Amino acid sequence: MKEFRLDRLDMERAAHNGAYLRFLREPTMSAGLYALAVGAQDTQRPQRQDVLNFVVSGRASMTVGDETTMVARGSVIYVPAGVPARFHHITEDLRVMIVFSPPEG
């Protein structure tokens, strides 16, 4: 078993001055914590893996392909491999747990 606490992961991510912290890598999946501040630019590119985004906190819009939706705490968004996706119009600091399958990188 591996156990993680979001508050500790967020502190570790911030200590490394990055928007993203990968905290799990297994043969069939990986997971990370992504953070964007109000007004920040999301520069992610289409991923080679299927991606599940779980919004832990914050509020923003998210565009996946040609579709846009508002996301907030509790939102879960699936993005198929190769489809462009990004967060924008971030109105509350955003924290997103991201799961990749197969694992990233």
Side-chain angles (χ1 to χ4, degrees):
M1 179 175 92
K2 295 180 181 179
E3 182 264 338
F4 305 95
R5 290 185 48 101
L6 287 173
D7 56 344
R8 291 181 188 152
L9 292 172
D10 200 35
M11 288 186 335
E12 182 179 348
R13 181 204 53 78
H16 290 95
N17 296 319
Y20 182 72
L21 170 71
R22 180 172 60 196
F23 61 88
L24 178 70
R25 181 172 171 73
E26 294 294 328
T28 59
M29 64 180 280
S30 62
L33 182 63
Y34 189 39
L36 293 166
V38 170
Q41 294 269 352
D42 181 3
T43 60
Q44 66 178 307
R45 298 179 307 268
Q47 303 294 328
R48 296 181 312 207
Q49 309 85 349
D50 288 343
V51 179
L52 192 65
N53 297 271
F54 172 69
V55 178
V56 175
S57 63
R59 185 175 301 275
S61 293
M62 184 176 194
T63 299
V64 177
D66 295 331
E67 298 179 83
T68 299
T69 189
M70 295 294 297
V71 297
R73 192 184 95 192
S75 297
V76 179
I77 305 93
Y78 166 71
V79 181
V83 175
R86 69 182 182 91
F87 295 99
H88 53 93
H89 296 98
I90 301 165
T91 58
E92 293 178 19
D93 290 350
L94 197 60
R95 298 292 181 276
V96 182
M97 183 172 46
I98 302 177
V99 179
F100 295 89
S101 181
E104 63 179 317

